[in-house]
Amino acid sequence: KFLDISAIENGRLELSLKTVNPLLQLQEWRDGFILLARKNANTIRLKVPDVVPAVRMDPDRIHQVMNNLITNAVKFSSASKEITIHVIPKSDKVIITVEDQGIGVDKELQQRLFKELVFGQNRVVLKSEKSTGFGLAIARKIMEAHGQTIWVESEPGIGSKFSISLPLATTSPAYTFINRSPVFG
């Protein structure tokens, strides 16, 4: 992560953009997500439409973003809660949302979550938390490098929805969700 921070701060974040089937990519990352969820006895559910268009992204960088969002969802959710990944196609992009039933984030903190990289400034302090507080700021920079965004909707005590947008591929084939087993773990 610290190499990423240095590259980001110096404006040298390089992307290796590819046309990607977002559903296949999520399925490829499934095992890592399952392991994260099992740490806290959570279940990850995938909710997708039958057809999703291809997107243009750097799979390694978006995996880094998704891993951060799911790690946070597990970290801030009670045991045995469900985490849902929604994939929502729009006319010019695909929205991926990680929804948890965790502690939520108050409005004041929501405004600081994605701010510049200042060690510890972005932390939500929990006694058991071990974190640099850089994850969401790095995620924001990765999304900006893609020309896209990341945002949060949250209510304290109810949970959070962290979303990213991914641009459609120029020649955008549509992919059908083949594996209809929506539960990871």
Side-chain angles (χ1 to χ4, degrees):
K1 268 194 177 179
F2 290 106
L3 292 175
D4 288 340
I5 292 167
S6 176
I8 289 169
E9 285 180 332
N10 294 315
R12 294 188 321 247
L13 180 63
E14 294 182 22
L15 298 180
S16 178
L17 296 174
K18 297 177 179 153
T19 297
V20 175
N21 173 347
L23 302 176
L24 182 59
Q25 203 63 72
L26 285 168
Q27 289 174 331
E28 286 179 13
W29 299 333
R30 173 188 310 224
D31 292 341
F33 296 160
I34 290 170
L35 292 175
L36 285 171
R38 285 187 182 157
K39 287 181 178 181
N40 204 26
N42 298 111
T43 302
I44 298 179
R45 181 168 303 280
L46 182 61
K47 287 192 172 183
V48 301
D50 289 334
V51 177
V52 176
V55 296
R56 190 92 172 133
M57 69 180 205
D58 179 327
D60 293 332
R61 293 296 183 179
I62 297 302
H63 181 252
Q64 188 175 357
V65 171
M66 290 300 297
N67 192 59
N68 181 271
L69 297 181
I70 292 170
T71 298
N72 287 346
V74 170
K75 186 187 306 183
F76 296 112
S77 292
S78 300
S80 303
K81 294 290 184 176
E82 185 173 278
I83 296 163
T84 306
I85 301 171
H86 303 270
V87 179
I88 306 159
K90 299 288 185 181
S91 60
D92 61 340
K93 61 187 151 218
V94 171
I95 306 295
I96 299 177
T97 299
V98 176
E99 179 180 8
D100 67 48
Q101 299 173 29
I103 62 172
V105 181
D106 66 41
K107 295 289 182 198
E108 179 188 339
L109 184 57
Q110 286 179 37
Q111 295 177 21
R112 294 190 332 242
L113 283 176
F114 306 104
K115 295 293 182 198
E116 294 303 315
L117 306 172
V118 178
F119 182 76
Q121 180 176 332
N122 298 346
R123 289 180 87 158
V124 176
V125 179
L126 294 178
K127 290 180 183 173
S128 63
E129 182 192 0
K130 294 179 181 168
S131 170
T132 63
F134 291 153
L136 291 173
I138 291 171
R140 179 180 62 90
K141 292 289 191 176
I142 291 170
M143 296 314 303
E144 287 174 352
H146 280 81
Q148 299 297 306
T149 189
I150 182 170
W151 65 96
V152 62
E153 300 169 53
S154 187
E155 290 291 328
I158 295 174
S160 300
K161 294 180 184 179
F162 283 85
S163 301
I164 62 171
S165 59
L166 295 169
L168 296 184
T170 308
T171 56
S172 185
Y175 294 104
T176 303
F177 187 48
I178 296 172
N179 180 353
R180 293 309 296 174
S181 173
V183 178
F184 291 1

